[in-house]
Amino acid sequence: MGAYGLLIDYEFCTGCQSCEVACKEEHRIPVGQWGIRLLDDGPWECSDGKFNWNKIPVPTRLCDLCAERTAKGKQPSCVHHCLAGVMQYGPVEELARKLAEKPNQVLFAPKPYRY
């Protein structure tokens, strides 16, 4: 079986943080820690006078891609609860092909962190 990951189209991420909340609830992650964290890139002014401001969900070392959920055929909690529908879960090879189709996406294939 190949590796699985998350493809995130951050061009359309609204920054709602539903992925963060869903993950914390699913895994009972304590305050101050995250399984996925929404990062801000910006705002900053581009050379054309327009502003760039990206919201980028980033899985942390606590992310196990919701192994219990996916073993039951469900989507990871962050993907299931993403209000903007910008997150996809699947085989890394398949997601890599989609990544090549457009800019402003990131592909994550996190390995579970071992304490």
Side-chain angles (χ1 to χ4, degrees):
M1 181 167 100
Y4 279 71
L6 294 175
L7 180 62
I8 302 169
D9 183 349
Y10 66 87
E11 180 179 8
F12 298 108
C13 178
T14 64
C16 71
Q17 298 178 298
S18 63
C19 56
E20 285 184 357
V21 174
C23 180
K24 287 178 83 63
E25 289 295 316
E26 180 77 26
H27 298 289
R28 296 187 173 101
I29 296 174
V31 172
Q33 296 179 30
W34 292 265
I36 189 166
R37 182 78 192 262
L38 190 71
L39 301 180
D40 272 323
D41 171 36
W44 48 272
E45 190 171 3
C46 300
S47 59
D48 62 1
K50 295 182 180 177
F51 281 84
N52 189 70
W53 194 350
N54 296 307
K55 305 291 188 174
I56 307 171
V58 179
T60 72
R61 65 184 185 185
L62 297 179
C63 177
D64 66 355
L65 294 173
C66 287
E68 288 185 26
R69 288 179 59 86
T70 56
K72 297 175 186 174
K74 297 180 179 181
Q75 294 286 320
S77 192
C78 60
V79 175
H80 178 76
H81 291 283
C82 178
L83 298 176
V86 299
M87 301 176 80
Q88 296 178 49
Y89 168 78
V92 170
E93 288 183 19
E94 178 183 319
L95 297 176
R97 285 192 293 274
K98 292 179 180 182
L99 176 65
E101 293 174 7
K102 73 174 287 292
N104 299 325
Q105 297 186 99
V106 289
L107 176 59
F108 294 100
K111 292 184 178 182
Y113 183 72
R114 297 187 191 276
Y115 288 97

